[in-house]
Each structure stands twice: as C-alpha cells, then as structure tokens.
Amino acid sequence: MSGANNDATSPSFLSDKSARIFVAGHRGLVGSAIVRKLQALGFTNLVLRTHVELDLTRQADVESFFAAEKPRFVILAAAKVGGIHANNTYPADFIAVNLQIQTNVIHAAYRFGVKKLLFLGSSCIYPKFAPQPIPENALLTGPLEPTNEWYAIAKIAGIKMCQAYRIQYNWDAISGMPTNLYGPHDNFHPENSHVLPALMRRFHEAKVKGAEEVVVWGTGSPLREFLHVDDLADGVVFMMESYSGLEHVNVGSGKEVTIKELAELVKEVVGFEGRLVWDSTKPDGTPRKLMDSSKLAGLGWTPKISLKDGLVDTYSWYLENVKQ
Ligand SMILES: NC(=O)C1=CN([C@@H]2O[C@H](COP(=O)(O)OP(=O)(O)OC[C@H]3O[C@@H](n4cnc5c(N)ncnc54)[C@H](OP(=O)(O)O)[C@@H]3O)[C@@H](O)[C@H]2O)C=CC1
Ligand SMILES: C[C@H]1O[C@H](OP(=O)(O)OP(=O)(O)OC[C@H]2O[C@@H](n3cnc4c(=O)[nH]c(N)nc43)[C@H](O)[C@@H]2O)[C@@H](O)[C@@H](O)C1=O
C-alpha cells in the first residue's frame, strides 16, 4: 500500500497555487465557501465532483477516482448534514452515510499519496453537558445529546481515523470542529434545515404572505454559537497551511445567542412584523454548546464576520437565489 510522502521539505499548502486540491462536497454550504476562498487566493487546479458524478459512499468508485486524479490535498466537506429534526428522524442515514463517506475518502487519500487532508466534524461531538466554553479535551467525557448522537458518533470516528493514520503512518490528516454555520448556499429546507436558514425562510414567506405569526420550535432558551461560512473557509485554509497536529481543533466565533435572540434578529433582518409563537412540542436539543476556540486563536486565526452582518449578507443571497 503506497502511503503518502510526508517530508517536511515539500511545499506548504499556500505555496503552490497549481496544486491539485479535491474539495469534497463543493456545492454545499461549506464546500462552496471553500471553493470561493481558494479561487480568490488564485488556486487554479481544484478537483471537483458532484454527488451524482461521484457517490463517496461507494468505496470502489472513490478509489478509482483517487487513482486517476491523485489530488495533492483533500478538504472533506461532503457529509449527510441536517438540523435537529433531520438528525432525530433519520439516525441510520446520519451514522451510515457519514461513516461511509469519511472512511472511504480518508483511506483512499492516504493510499493514493495525498499530502494533507482536512476532515470536518462538528461541535455536536461534545457531551450534552460539557463544561462551557467547551475545550477540545472534553471529547468523550460524557453522554452525547440524544437528538444527534448518531451523527456525533460518526464524526468522532472521523477524528479518531485521522489520528490513527497519523500515528501508524505518520500521515498529515487533521480535523476541524466548526460550530453552527450559516451563509450562502445553506440548506433552507422547511423541516430538515438548521435553525438559522429555517427561520429566515419562514419569516420571509410570512412577510410575503402578510401572516400575523410565525411558529418557532422549542422554548427559545437554548444557546447557540454561530459562525459565517466564509469565516470557516478562511479558518480551513489557515489550518491547511499552519496546523498539523494530532488533536482536533475547535473553529468557533466565541459568541452565543439564545434561540429567542436569534429569532428576533432574523425577524428584524427579514423585516417580518408579526408575532412569534413557540412550539414546545419540538426538541430544544443541547442547552448550550459554546466552544473554546482559543487553541486556534493562539495559532493566529480569528473570525471577522459579525452575526448581524452575516445575517444581512445571507438574506440578500437568499433573495437573489432562493425565494419563491
Ligand atoms: N452546516 C453546519 O452548521 C455545520 C456543518 N459542519 C460540517 O461541515 C461539512 C459540510 O456541511 P454543509 O456544507 O453544511 O453540508 P451541505 O449539506 O450543505 O453540503 C454537503 C455536501 O456533501 C455532498 N454529499 C452528501 N452526500 C454525498 C455523497 N454520498 N457523495 C458525494 N457527495 C455527497 C452534498 O451533495 P448533494 O447535496 O448533491 O447531496 C453536498 O454538496 C460537514 O462535514 C458537516 O458535518 C460542521 C458544523 C456545522
Ligand atoms: C450544527 C449542529 O446542528 C444540529 O444541532 P442544533 O444546533 O441543535 O441544530 P438546529 O440548528 O437544527 O437547532 C438549534 C435549535 O434551534 C431551535 N429551532 C427553533 N426553530 C427551529 C427551526 O425551525 N428549525 C430548526 N432546525 N431548529 C429550530 C431548535 O429547537 C434547537 O433548540 C445538529 O446537526 C448537530 O449535529 C450539529 O452539528
């Protein structure tokens, strides 16, 4: 099995703009932001495949792709992703698809000589009642949040696989743990999306229809940290250039809001003037998951986009690309 060459003298991520970079999941919220960022930096050799062109759950197809394309770098932003309702409703999909995708891509990347791979997990990997803000070493110290434990287990397995390939093969695989993300090309599905895009769509449709009220799920009391996806893309490039450690790295904004505060903010940005009605039959999920991102800050990276500015940016994108 031909492993990756891991000599320290080979060029860094940013030094060769003609390097072949496979961005898996390039049409998604995160993948599309990473492609925008890499193109803005002048990278000219991105290797991209749609889900239809390459189903990453099919190992033989993934290995043939890597054998033929031999990318130098891989950023793994393909996954089965969804909000609290989707996670709670389709546990088999969330554990099986994500385990298949990440196992196939990480192994094939190693086998076919990729120099460095970045795997994306999520803040949901941490225990439901982890200390706040959550440090990286809180991983596996307590029970997970039941509504997304299947997805969390898959993501934890991805982190462990990257660590195992570094230990056994001295291969440069790293893991980033983003907090809740939002921005252009988000999933605005009425039921399966995350809270921010779900509320943006619901408030927009209510405003257009002249509805008097909008239903928001849960009690509104949970706290969530949000990061604009363009900040995440910047952080991913920073990690590809500057981080090659065994431990995963939190990538957050360090700022949290209650779901009620978020709903009020989205309502204001969209310009809906009706009432909020709370549906407490829907799950709240984890009460709080503010991450401690001081490790990444200590390496020299911090986010730039405020939630308010990010919401305005996302709503203009929504109006140009999604609204019915
Ligand atoms: N969104 C968020 O709030 C957060 C996301 N993350 C992580 O970031 C990464 C990207 O998430 P996000 O961009 O939000 O998700 P999206 O759903 O927006 O994008 C996922 C992408 O993966 C592709 N994909 C899914 N299954 C397959 C498959 N079997 N083969 C090939 N491609 C596939 C999708 O293609 P298609 O749509 O055509 O199926 C889509 O382009 C994930 O690892 C996620 O866990 C982490 C924290 C928060
Ligand atoms: C990124 C992260 O995302 C997920 O975890 P989550 O943060 O709980 O996800 P969420 O964005 O769907 O919900 C956050 C909160 O928002 C409230 N809420 C109100 N109204 C709506 C609403 O209309 N839709 C949704 N989805 N939530 C709503 C809802 O009741 C809950 O209290 C997992 O994928 C997890 O695995 C993960 O990684």
Side-chain angles (χ1 to χ4, degrees):
M1 182 176 299
S2 64
N5 59 332
N6 195 28
D7 51 59
T9 56
S10 56
S12 74
F13 181 69
L14 287 172
S15 58
D16 176 5
K17 295 298 187 317
S18 66
R20 293 170 65 75
I21 306 171
F22 176 38
V23 181
H26 73 282
R27 297 167 81 185
L29 168 72
V30 172
S32 56
I34 289 169
V35 167
R36 285 197 301 274
K37 180 71 186 171
L38 293 176
Q39 287 171 340
L41 287 170
F43 282 94
T44 55
N45 215 345
L46 303 186
V47 180
L48 309 174
R49 290 292 183 281
T50 64
H51 188 165
V52 171
E53 289 166 339
L54 177 60
D55 181 346
L56 296 170
T57 64
R58 302 179 63 83
Q59 186 184 20
D61 294 351
V62 172
E63 305 232 332
S64 314
F65 163 77
F66 272 91
E69 296 296 332
K70 290 200 173 40
R72 185 164 177 71
F73 299 106
V74 173
I75 300 172
L76 180 45
K80 173 72 180 172
V81 179
I84 190 165
H85 172 76
N87 269 270
N88 213 18
T89 309
Y90 308 107
D93 296 345
F94 277 88
I95 194 162
V97 171
N98 286 313
L99 283 175
Q100 289 163 350
I101 290 174
Q102 63 199 42
T103 303
N104 291 342
V105 173
I106 294 168
H107 181 72
Y110 161 72
R111 182 173 167 201
F112 291 97
V114 166
K115 181 179 183 303
K116 185 169 189 174
L117 172 142
L118 183 143
F119 167 70
L120 285 170
S122 156
S123 57
C124 74
I125 62 167
Y126 293 113
K128 177 164 188 157
F129 300 108
Q132 309 278 331
I134 310 172
E136 284 88 352
N137 62 17
L139 181 62
L140 294 174
T141 58
L144 297 166
E145 157 59 36
T147 54
N148 56 48
E149 64 179 305
W150 330 99
Y151 174 73
I153 290 287
K155 291 299 184 177
I156 292 168
I159 294 170
K160 290 298 172 187
M161 189 161 172
C162 290
Q163 290 178 338
Y165 276 57
R166 179 179 293 277
I167 292 165
Q168 184 167 335
Y169 302 123
N170 188 29
W171 185 53
D172 198 0
I174 59 174
S175 297
M177 295 304 119
T179 188
N180 290 49
L181 303 169
Y182 70 98
H185 298 279
D186 205 341
N187 166 8
F188 289 87
H189 186 277
E191 297 295 322
N192 296 332
S193 54
H194 288 103
V195 58
L196 193 150
L199 294 183
M200 184 167 285
R201 173 185 175 140
R202 206 169 299 147
F203 282 131
H204 174 78
E205 291 176 349
K207 179 177 82 170
V208 167
K209 279 191 297 197
E212 289 178 1
E213 61 186 40
V214 159
V215 174
V216 186
W217 298 353
T219 64
S221 56
L223 286 148
R224 288 295 183 272
E225 178 186 17
F226 291 97
L227 183 73
H228 191 282
V229 74
D230 286 345
D231 269 335
L232 175 75
D234 189 59
V236 161
V237 168
F238 179 86
M239 286 179 67
M240 284 299 285
E241 176 68 8
S242 311
Y243 182 72
S244 283
L246 185 68
E247 191 178 51
H248 58 285
V249 179
N250 291 340
V251 191
S253 62
K255 296 187 175 65
E256 59 182 350
V257 287
T258 64
I259 295 301
K260 186 172 186 309
E261 288 162 341
L262 175 74
E264 295 294 350
L265 256 177
V266 177
K267 176 175 180 280
E268 180 195 336
V269 166
V270 168
F272 172 67
E273 291 174 354
R275 283 189 310 280
L276 301 190
V277 173
W278 295 91
D279 175 2
S280 55
T281 66
K282 291 283 193 321
D284 270 341
T286 306
R288 191 180 178 204
K289 48 179 176 178
L290 174 68
M291 291 195 301
D292 174 354
S293 299
S294 57
K295 177 174 174 177
L296 190 55
L299 292 170
W301 184 83
T302 49
K304 300 176 185 65
I305 303 168
S306 72
L307 182 56
K308 179 69 182 288
D309 291 348
L311 282 171
V312 171
D313 164 71
T314 306
Y315 188 48
S316 358
W317 183 88
Y318 180 87
L319 292 174
E320 281 162 39
N321 296 274
V322 180
K323 71 170 171 66
Q324 276 72 25

